[in-house]
């Protein structure tokens, strides 16, 4: 069975490395990539995505710094075991609340109703995937 | 020969991914629209005009006995085809759609060469065995050794009984083995793996190409080992028919190319997700941002080089070395 995939959208506002970081982190959080799961090499993933090696190397480094990946020279990058969720700080909470506000405003502007937004958020929070 | 090539080029624009037409990313079924039909017609008119000129040139050169002018016909036909494709490519650019975003599997790279890398070394052992056999039967070799044959099966190229002349076919066989194996490894390691909506088609296309190359990895050394040992066998009254030596690579090429052509006519193959702007004349891929060494061709079936990758120039140098190898052999 084919494993999880990620995609790079050249039209997206986020830079390519950020798209890689966000998608791999989402797959780890949702359990599609379990602890110990081996990722393709930087060279392999860059070739598959058609992006520069540095883009993928930077993404792996960012994920390693965030405690999501184990990266060491000459060995495949692996998903790190996270024993417990990190302690949530007030500042982080505020930052995410602000991002959520902007996202909700954008969704309302695109025609989503409040109920639809609530449903999508609840689905995303429980890793079920929404109706989108 | 020129007519056969003309017939091949006549159909070649239709052997491609469903969303690629004359090197442009177009909607599926574009070739059935009036613009699509017009484009193909234009290409074919130029192709056959070029082929007619090429045939006349070759005939005139043969008639007048101007041997150096004989390849001019092939050159005229090739240039016409490249130019016609490039012109039609430019005319279709306004109909281009955005390519699909690139997707990638997060599975580790576990893909292997068909038959395995270790087995691909056996043909080298066969070449080495042929070299030892010829060296140990040196006195049986004639003064002039046939190394090239015409379509009628008669030899038209000879080498002298010198270490260079005798080893020539074996060296060429070794170089071709290297080119074929190198190309297979380059596709395996240096081209994007199947992923996304058309992953199944890409997987089958990739395997079919790898199988063709690996068949050549085996048959080319066999062909040249056969050429090298043939004079020694003949001196012992054992005749190996030339057709028997050449039939193996021909059968391999045909048997493994037909599935690739069939795949190229299937629907549901989508686009290749490479940016159109990086395809010069719709045929040559040059993308500095893409680390791939090989990508699928947009004109013809198989893989081509990403010329922005410095390793691609090394790949171009190898066939030049093979050509010089053949000249050295003569």
């Amino acid at each position: 069975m084919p494993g999880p995939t990620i995609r790079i959208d050249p039209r997206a506002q986020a830079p390519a490395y950020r798209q890689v970081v966000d998608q791999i982190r989402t797959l780890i959080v949702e359990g599609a990539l379990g602890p110990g799961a081996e990722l393709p090499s930087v060279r392999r993933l860059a070739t598959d995505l058609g992006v520069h090696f540095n883009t993928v190397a930077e993404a792996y480094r960012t994920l390693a710094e965030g405690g999501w990946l184990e990266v060491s020279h000459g060995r495949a990058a692996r998903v790190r075991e996270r024993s417990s969720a990190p302690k949530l700080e007030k500042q982080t909470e505020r930052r995410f609340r602000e991002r959520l506000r902007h996202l909700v405003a954008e969704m309302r502007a695109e025609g989503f109703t409040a109920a639809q937004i609530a449903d999508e958020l609840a689905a995303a929070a429980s890793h079920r995937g929404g109706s989108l | 020969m020129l007519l056969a090539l003309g017939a091949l080029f006549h159909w070649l624009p239709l052997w491609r991914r469903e969303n690629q037409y004359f090197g442009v990313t177009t909607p599926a079924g574009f070739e059935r629209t009036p613009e699509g039909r017009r484009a193909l017609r234009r290409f074919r008119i130029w192709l056959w005009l070029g082929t007619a000129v090429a045939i006349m040139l070759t005939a005139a050169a043969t008639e007048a006995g101007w041997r150096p002018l004989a390849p001019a016909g092939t050159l005229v036909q090739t240039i016409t085809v490249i130019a016609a494709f490039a012109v039609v490519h430019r005319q279709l650019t306004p109909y281009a759609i955005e390519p699909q975003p690139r997707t990638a599997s997060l599975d580790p790279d576990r893909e292997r060469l068909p038959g395995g890398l270790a087995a691909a070394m056996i043909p080298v052992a066969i070449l080495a065995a042929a070299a030892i056999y010829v060296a140990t039967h040196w006195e049986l070799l004639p003064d002039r050794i046939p190394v090239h044959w015409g379509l009628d099966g008669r030899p038209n190229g000879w080498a002298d009984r010198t270490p260079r002349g005798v080893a020539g076919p074996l060296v060429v066989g070794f170089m071709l083995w290297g080119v074929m194996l190198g190309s297979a490894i380059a596709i395996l390691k240096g081209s994007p793996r199947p992923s996304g909506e058309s992953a199944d088609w890409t997987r089958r296309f990739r395997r079919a190409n790898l199988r063709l190359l690996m068949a050549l990895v085996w048959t080319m050394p066999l062909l040249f080992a056969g050429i090298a040992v043939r004079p020694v066998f003949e001196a012992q009254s054992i005749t190996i028919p030339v057709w028997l030596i050449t039939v193996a690579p021909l059968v391999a090429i045909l048997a493994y190319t037909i599935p690739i052509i069939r795949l190229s006519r299937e629907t549901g193959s989508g686009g290749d997700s490479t940016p159109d702007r990086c395809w010069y004349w719709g045929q040559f891929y040059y993308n500095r941002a893409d680390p791939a060494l090989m990508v699928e061709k947009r004109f013809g079936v198989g893989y081509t080089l990403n010329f922005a990758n410095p390793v691609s120039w090394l790949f171009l140098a190898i066939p030049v070395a093979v050509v010089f190898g053949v000249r050295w052999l003569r």
Side-chain angles (χ1 to χ4, degrees):
Chain A
M1 199 180 124
T5 57
I6 58 172
R7 70 165 52 194
I8 294 287
D9 188 351
R11 288 160 299 179
Q13 281 183 341
Y17 105 90
R18 178 47 63 189
Q19 293 183 49
V20 175
V21 169
D22 290 347
Q23 289 178 69
I24 292 180
R25 193 173 46 214
T26 303
L27 289 166
I28 296 172
V29 168
E30 291 181 347
L33 282 171
E38 203 178 291
L39 294 185
S41 67
V42 167
R43 184 173 288 269
R44 180 74 269 179
L45 190 56
T47 304
D48 290 347
L49 288 172
V51 296
H52 200 277
F53 298 132
N54 290 345
T55 304
V56 177
E58 177 70 14
Y60 277 13
R61 214 166 19 244
T62 306
L63 286 162
E65 281 166 13
W68 299 97
L69 292 186
E70 241 178 78
V71 180
S72 56
H73 191 71
R75 287 182 58 198
R78 285 175 188 280
V79 176
R80 184 177 269 177
E81 179 101 51
R82 288 166 71 92
S83 48
S84 59
K87 191 173 171 288
L88 185 61
E89 290 180 9
K90 280 279 171 213
Q91 199 186 353
T92 313
E93 211 179 314
R94 261 202 307 278
R95 188 159 50 85
F96 276 97
R97 191 171 295 124
E98 193 63 19
R99 278 173 68 181
L100 215 50
R101 262 187 61 211
H102 291 308
L103 182 68
V104 169
E106 213 180 311
M107 289 174 84
R108 291 296 293 267
E110 292 291 336
F112 280 85
T113 64
Q116 275 178 314
I117 295 170
D119 194 37
E120 288 299 336
L121 286 175
S126 61
H127 315 160
R128 284 186 283 115
S131 57
L132 288 178
Chain B
M1 186 67 177
L2 289 168
L3 273 175
L5 278 173
L8 176 72
F9 290 131
H10 184 89
W11 293 109
L12 212 51
L14 296 176
W15 299 343
R16 83 288 182 231
R17 277 184 182 258
E18 195 178 16
N19 285 76
Q20 243 86 53
Y21 197 52
F22 283 98
V24 179
T25 305
T26 53
F30 182 79
E31 71 278 9
R32 290 190 295 276
T33 64
E35 295 81 12
R37 285 205 182 101
R38 247 197 316 272
L40 186 61
R41 209 164 35 240
R42 259 195 309 265
F43 171 79
R44 284 175 172 172
I45 287 170
W46 280 108
L47 158 70
W48 287 113
L49 280 175
T51 303
V53 172
I55 290 171
M56 283 190 278
L57 253 177
T58 310
T62 315
E63 191 72 23
W66 300 332
R67 276 199 69 193
L69 260 185
T74 314
L75 195 68
V76 165
Q77 190 186 41
T78 308
I79 291 171
T80 310
V81 167
I82 291 174
F85 193 93
V87 169
V88 175
H89 166 78
R90 204 183 56 214
Q91 289 167 344
L92 289 185
T93 306
Y95 302 99
I97 56 168
E98 277 290 325
Q100 288 285 315
R102 285 281 276 266
T103 59
S105 164
L106 288 179
D107 284 334
D109 192 0
R110 297 215 169 87
E111 208 180 357
R112 296 282 174 265
L113 282 176
L117 186 61
M121 301 299 146
I122 296 172
V124 180
I126 293 171
L127 285 170
I132 293 167
Y133 181 75
V134 173
T136 52
H137 294 80
W138 190 263
E139 70 288 349
L140 294 179
L141 287 169
D143 289 338
R144 280 199 336 152
I145 303 157
V147 288
H148 197 272
W149 289 263
L151 285 175
D152 56 0
R154 290 187 186 156
N156 57 11
W158 286 268
D160 293 331
R161 193 178 71 161
T162 59
R164 199 178 80 164
V166 174
L170 298 169
V171 172
V172 174
F174 178 71
M175 285 196 282
L176 286 171
W177 169 85
V179 170
M180 299 303 160
L181 185 62
S183 303
I185 293 172
I187 291 173
L188 195 73
K189 298 291 173 194
S191 75
R193 288 182 301 171
S195 181
E197 286 163 16
S198 54
D200 177 56
W201 185 91
T202 312
R203 190 171 297 109
R204 287 185 293 134
F205 183 77
R206 196 174 157 87
R207 292 311 286 177
N209 275 280
L210 287 173
R211 274 197 287 266
L212 168 65
L213 285 168
M214 293 312 287
L216 292 172
V217 160
W218 276 86
T219 50
M220 287 314 221
L222 278 176
L223 164 78
F224 285 94
I227 291 173
V229 299
R230 193 172 175 271
V232 181
F233 277 27
E234 281 205 330
Q236 298 173 90
S237 305
I238 307 166
T239 306
I240 310 176
V242 179
W243 66 264
L244 193 66
I245 298 174
T246 51
V247 83
L250 283 176
V251 167
I253 291 170
L254 268 179
Y256 288 97
T257 306
I258 289 167
I260 300 174
I261 294 170
R262 277 202 186 132
L263 272 168
S264 305
R265 299 199 40 91
E266 274 185 21
T267 54
S269 50
D272 63 12
S273 296
T274 54
D276 281 6
R277 64 174 188 284
C278 297
W279 284 94
Y280 293 87
W281 298 356
Q283 298 155 72
F284 305 103
Y285 188 61
Y286 187 94
N287 186 356
R288 278 179 196 276
D290 189 348
L293 173 61
M294 302 284 250
V295 290
E296 286 169 27
K297 277 183 187 173
R298 285 196 174 182
F299 182 34
V301 289
Y303 284 77
T304 183
L305 293 162
N306 173 12
F307 292 98
N309 190 321
V311 182
S312 67
W313 296 100
L314 183 70
F315 256 75
L316 284 182
I318 296 170
V320 173
V322 171
V323 171
F324 274 100
V326 171
R327 289 188 73 84
W328 174 74
L329 154 77
R330 285 182 172 183

